[in-house]
Amino acid sequence: MKAPRRWHISYCSVGWEWLARAVAALLYRVRAVHAERLPGSGGALLLANHLSYVDVVALQVAARRRLRFIAYRSPVPNPWFEWVFRRAGVIALPGGQPAGALRAAIAAARRGEVVCLFPEGAISRTGQLMKLERGFEVIARKAGVPVVPAAVDGLWGSLFSFAGGRYLWKRPRLTRTPVTVVFGEPIAPERATTSRVRQAILELWAEGFGQRPVLDRHLGWEVARSLARSPGRVAIVDRGDARRTISAAALFAASAALSARLRRTVRGRRVGILLPPGIGAAAANLAVLWAGKIPVNLNCTVGRAAAEHCLKVAEVDTVLTAGPVRQKFPDFPYPERTWDVRAEIAACGGRIGLAPWLLAAWLLPRGWAARLTGCPREGGDAEAATLFTSGSSGPPKGVVLSHRNILGNCEQFFTLGILPPDAVMLGCLPIFHSFGFSVTQWCALLHRLGLVTISSPLDTRRIVDAIREEAVTVFVGAPTFLRPMLKKAERSDLRSLQLTVSGAEKLPDDLRQSFRERFQLPILEGYGLTEMSPVTNVNLPDPPRTTATAGPQAGGRPGTVGRLLPGVAARIIDPDSGEERALNEPGMLLLKGPNRFCGYLQEPERTAAAIRDGWFVTGDLAEFDADGFLSIRGRRSRFSKLGGEMVPHAAIEAALAAGLGLDPAEAPALAIVGVPDAAKGEALVLLAALEVSADDVRRLLTAAGLPNLWVPKVVRRVERIPLLGTGKLDLAACAELARKGPG
């Protein structure tokens, strides 16, 4: 009997390869990175993320060898797919009976073929990396072949992905989609665990995401093109002292005229901006960028000494502000060259002076209009902005963000589809706040979202009115700003809201539950840092099932800050030794991606300590679960190591607050601080802005089930717990009070 012809030398496999290349050439621009890492001969198991139905095409085009795919076979027979599977040599994986397919995959790998498997088991319906199933471990170890991780970037949002909550029925792209496939170093079969493969795919995805052409552009150029693309739309609804609106064309004109004036008169490299969210802040930031300068949005709540430090470090001698801001914050150290934005725009010639720019926005192609601003097309790794940290543990640090950083984070956030094109976003976070700067300002302008601004996140009444009257659909805030809404808003006030995202601090369980019960609205918790431009994680709504047989996929998980955004990679290390740990083990969180900042302004030593081998050391203790959801355990600075055990300050504070019946909506009345101790290395001190004895503390913590090691031996009475303008603990001031001695 004639032996059956093996798949990897059949004419069908050759035809499949040519068909894949033909489809790819028509619809996609596939770029392979590190293709040499796929072994040139011998068996291997290729593992990749799964974003669309055409991932197989991208992988086959990028690979230097023919691939043998493992695919799930639907329990409902489909003659077309059965025929394609047979002709392409696909190893079909039937539901509930995988043993035969696993044996076929092992045999193929042993014969020297490259077997390709999507370890998520199904196409991601959120655009993030889902849970990895462990079946690939069996194949790799029994076949004795290396595992080659790979990441596909660029196909989420395309016609064959689930972006927008559906397959296929989307507007097709009119140009070829750029797709990047990055191959990783082979992993020995005995070391190929789900945690290690997940980490490898995330790192490769971050590298692939960084290849996107838009990240090399100039932030100002991209915003100019966006404004000129739809000049008649309302770009910003400013609900400051009075409701004002501005069209995209008018914002373009005002910013361009002010930019020309700044280019002529400002000598320094950086320009300070002290303005609340609104038309003035957007025009000022755009004008500074178009003038070839770097905007530095300043925090007026940090105190005079800290503000002087920021101005000195950034070498700012010109500040753009407004008269009402100067009246509200008279103690800010305004430099001699402090200009009123409205007066400067008026000095550009009024309506007559703005007319040429208005005509350019309306009549010229958007690329030509952007070129008229004098803004370069490419920005890349050049400094685009500097933001200062809150300074909770010392003087504020100047975080240098490049054009790549800001554009990358906006692209990461928008890629998920969490913000639909018709979204109306409320911008109330200060522009000196990294989320207010990147997401509720630049992301809204770049992607032509509706933007409604409120000058202060503490003005709850105005926020509620704006949501109701402007039909706001997306609200982003911190728990401090969300909690007052429970008292000042009715369910009917928030009926237009579709998405509420919380960040900047941990979301309390009681606030999450109360918000859902009162308004029928979930709060999706996210996570970010100024140094990451800032968003790295966010919980999403659960995606719908595609069919009755499709398995559920979780978009979010309460108590976590969600999965990583596309293009963000993570590592977990031992906080003391620096040795790498598995992602599902607790430790210090390190992050990397195109949104990782460039360094601290004029602080090379701090920069070297914060960025290790390209990874940002967050200072947060965290761990991932098997599904990729990240849990933040707290800041390393808010832990003390006692007797070899890491003791969390926040857990002690929460137990005491619950035992004393303190209202979480009020300002904190307790704070735990670690101070040096000759015997144990560190000791706990409780700062209390109320009367409580050491015996009371011991009793309450013992009743809460906390170990004796966690009980502070020293209680110091203070008038108030030091806070920053952002509402966070002023850790430096707390430490100074704790070191003064027992009270």
Side-chain angles (χ1 to χ4, degrees):
M1 180 181 295
K2 186 177 180 180
R5 186 164 50 197
R6 291 180 180 175
W7 176 87
H8 69 287
I9 59 172
S10 73
Y11 293 111
C12 289
S13 65
V14 176
W16 154 247
E17 183 179 353
W18 280 105
L19 177 62
R21 294 187 184 279
V23 171
L26 181 64
L27 300 176
Y28 308 102
R29 297 198 311 270
V30 180
R31 178 184 181 186
V33 179
H34 307 311
E36 72 282 354
R37 291 175 175 172
L38 187 66
S41 61
L45 181 61
L46 181 65
L47 304 179
N49 58 326
H50 203 9
L51 297 174
S52 79
Y53 282 121
V54 292
D55 292 337
V56 293
V57 175
L59 286 165
Q60 181 59 79
V61 170
R64 295 183 173 183
R65 298 176 59 185
R66 295 184 191 127
L67 305 180
R68 185 84 181 271
F69 290 95
I70 301 178
Y72 174 75
R73 174 184 286 161
S74 172
V76 180
N78 186 308
W80 162 251
F81 282 113
E82 293 288 339
W83 182 83
V84 170
F85 278 16
R86 286 196 305 271
R87 295 303 180 186
V90 171
I91 300 173
L93 186 65
Q97 299 176 345
L102 290 178
R103 285 195 295 270
I106 293 168
R110 283 176 175 171
R111 288 197 302 268
E113 299 180 29
V114 179
V115 177
C116 183
L117 170 67
F118 298 107
E120 294 165 273
I123 292 175
S124 171
R125 300 201 294 274
T126 69
Q128 299 163 298
L129 188 63
M130 298 288 107
K131 179 181 180 180
L132 304 189
E133 303 297 338
R134 300 188 62 180
F136 72 85
E137 297 179 1
V138 176
I139 298 174
R141 289 169 190 172
K142 290 196 173 182
V145 296
V147 168
V148 180
V152 181
D153 177 69
L155 287 174
W156 178 256
S158 68
L159 188 64
F160 300 101
S161 69
F162 195 68
R166 57 187 180 273
Y167 295 116
L168 297 179
W169 305 112
K170 295 189 286 290
R171 180 182 299 176
R173 295 173 177 173
L174 300 180
T175 58
R176 290 195 301 163
T177 300
V179 179
T180 302
V181 180
V182 188
F183 294 92
E185 296 285 357
I187 303 172
E190 64 275 7
R191 299 181 66 249
T193 62
T194 54
S195 177
R196 182 169 282 110
V197 170
R198 167 176 284 276
Q199 180 174 317
I201 292 176
L202 288 172
E203 292 184 23
L204 296 169
W205 198 354
E207 184 176 353
F209 197 99
Q211 307 281 336
R212 295 194 177 194
V214 69
L215 305 191
D216 293 327
R217 303 279 177 79
H218 192 285
L219 175 61
W221 174 276
E222 288 299 299
V223 176
R225 293 177 71 249
S226 177
L227 294 176
R229 181 174 181 178
S230 49
R233 72 177 182 87
V234 175
I236 301 174
V237 177
D238 189 334
R239 294 181 62 104
D241 296 334
R243 184 182 186 274
R244 296 184 298 146
T245 65
I246 189 168
S247 68
L251 180 59
F252 179 94
S255 303
L258 180 58
S259 169
R261 187 168 177 81
L262 294 176
R263 193 185 296 271
R264 292 192 305 267
T265 56
V266 175
R267 296 182 301 273
R269 186 182 178 201
R270 298 183 184 87
V271 177
I273 299 175
L274 193 64
L275 290 165
I279 295 172
N285 275 275
L286 260 180
V288 171
L289 277 175
W290 288 350
K293 310 294 182 181
I294 300 164
V296 181
N297 287 270
L298 299 164
N299 185 349
C300 49
T301 67
V302 294
R304 187 178 184 88
E308 289 176 343
H309 168 80
C310 295
L311 292 171
K312 181 180 179 181
V313 169
E315 299 175 333
V316 168
D317 61 4
T318 303
V319 169
L320 301 178
T321 186
V325 176
R326 296 198 68 167
Q327 294 175 7
K328 187 174 181 180
F329 300 100
D331 294 332
F332 188 86
Y334 298 97
E336 183 178 348
R337 294 168 60 88
T338 299
W339 297 344
D340 187 289
V341 168
R342 291 186 184 179
E344 293 301 317
I345 294 177
C348 296
R351 293 184 178 180
I352 296 177
L354 298 183
W357 297 109
L358 283 169
L359 290 173
W362 276 101
L363 302 178
L364 294 180
R366 57 181 184 262
W368 291 13
R371 191 175 294 114
L372 278 182
T373 66
C375 179
R377 182 186 179 94
E378 305 297 326
D381 292 322
E383 181 181 354
T386 291
L387 295 177
F388 281 89
T389 62
S390 58
S392 60
S393 56
K397 302 187 291 290
V399 178
V400 177
L401 300 177
S402 68
H403 298 273
R404 169 178 288 269
N405 295 154
I406 299 169
L407 288 170
N409 200 227
C410 291
E411 183 82 356
Q412 289 166 329
F413 197 74
F414 198 77
T415 291
L416 283 180
I418 191 173
L419 298 176
D422 60 349
V424 178
M425 184 185 296
L426 183 70
C428 64
L429 294 174
I431 305 300
F432 61 75
H433 188 288
S434 55
F435 205 106
F437 179 74
S438 289
V439 177
T440 58
Q441 178 175 265
W442 295 125
C443 192
L445 293 177
L446 283 166
H447 296 285
R448 300 179 300 283
L449 306 177
L451 178 59
V452 180
T453 61
I454 301 291
S455 57
S456 171
L458 299 174
D459 197 341
T460 308
R461 185 68 264 162
R462 285 196 180 188
I463 289 174
V464 172
D465 291 344
I467 292 173
R468 181 184 65 253
E469 295 169 11
E470 307 294 345
V472 170
T473 61
V474 179
F475 177 43
V476 179
T480 302
F481 311 137
L482 289 168
R483 192 177 290 278
M485 297 178 72
L486 294 172
K487 296 181 179 179
K488 297 188 178 182
E490 299 296 332
R491 183 177 176 182
S492 59
D493 294 327
L494 309 184
R495 64 179 180 274
S496 64
L497 278 184
Q498 300 173 7
L499 191 68
T500 304
V501 181
S502 173
E505 48 188 281
K506 183 174 176 57
L507 177 64
D509 290 335
D510 71 298
L511 177 57
R512 179 192 292 108
Q513 184 175 351
S514 299
F515 221 80
R516 181 183 287 275
E517 291 175 354
R518 180 168 176 79
F519 305 123
Q520 302 301 304
L521 282 172
I523 301 178
L524 303 178
E525 189 172 4
Y527 171 75
L529 307 102
T530 304
E531 291 87 347
M532 293 300 293
S533 307
V535 188
T536 64
N537 295 70
V538 67
N539 280 287
L540 302 175
D542 292 343
R545 293 193 181 193
T546 54
T547 64
T549 58
Q553 288 187 359
R557 181 158 296 166
T560 75
V561 295
R563 294 188 180 94
L564 292 167
L565 266 60
V568 179
R571 284 184 180 177
I572 298 291
I573 64 170
D574 185 285
D576 296 317
S577 67
E579 293 182 1
E580 191 170 338
R581 292 179 173 176
L583 290 179
N584 57 359
E585 296 179 12
M588 182 78 76
L589 176 66
L590 275 59
L591 295 169
K592 183 169 69 172
N595 52 320
R596 194 220 70 211
F597 78 128
C598 304
Y600 294 118
L601 188 63
Q602 297 190 28
E603 296 192 77
E605 292 183 359
R606 277 186 167 182
T607 299
I611 302 178
R612 303 179 189 172
D613 298 325
W615 293 86
F616 170 55
V617 183
T618 65
D620 285 332
L621 300 179
E623 62 184 299
F624 291 85
D625 64 18
D627 291 318
F629 291 102
L630 176 65
S631 296
I632 303 295
R633 302 308 181 193
R635 295 290 295 172
R636 174 72 189 279
S637 57
R638 299 238 61 215
F639 280 74
S640 290
K641 195 164 188 178
L642 306 178
E645 181 180 344
M646 297 296 288
V647 178
H649 298 175
I652 303 173
E653 293 163 357
L656 288 174
L660 293 169
L662 301 181
D663 187 350
E666 301 294 332
L670 303 167
I672 295 291
V673 182
V675 298
D677 181 78
K680 295 184 178 180
E682 229 179 333
L684 298 179
V685 173
L686 172 64
L687 301 180
L690 48 75
E691 291 297 335
V692 60
S693 67
D695 290 338
D696 292 334
V697 170
R698 178 176 294 279
R699 175 177 53 82
L700 291 171
L701 295 182
T702 301
L706 299 185
N708 185 58
L709 183 68
W710 292 25
V711 178
K713 306 300 188 293
V714 176
V715 178
R716 180 167 180 77
R717 181 74 165 84
V718 296
E719 289 299 320
R720 63 180 181 83
I721 301 300
L723 300 176
L724 299 168
T726 57
K728 295 181 181 180
L729 285 178
D730 187 336
L731 299 181
C734 288
E736 185 177 350
L737 288 175
R739 286 194 296 266
K740 288 183 177 179

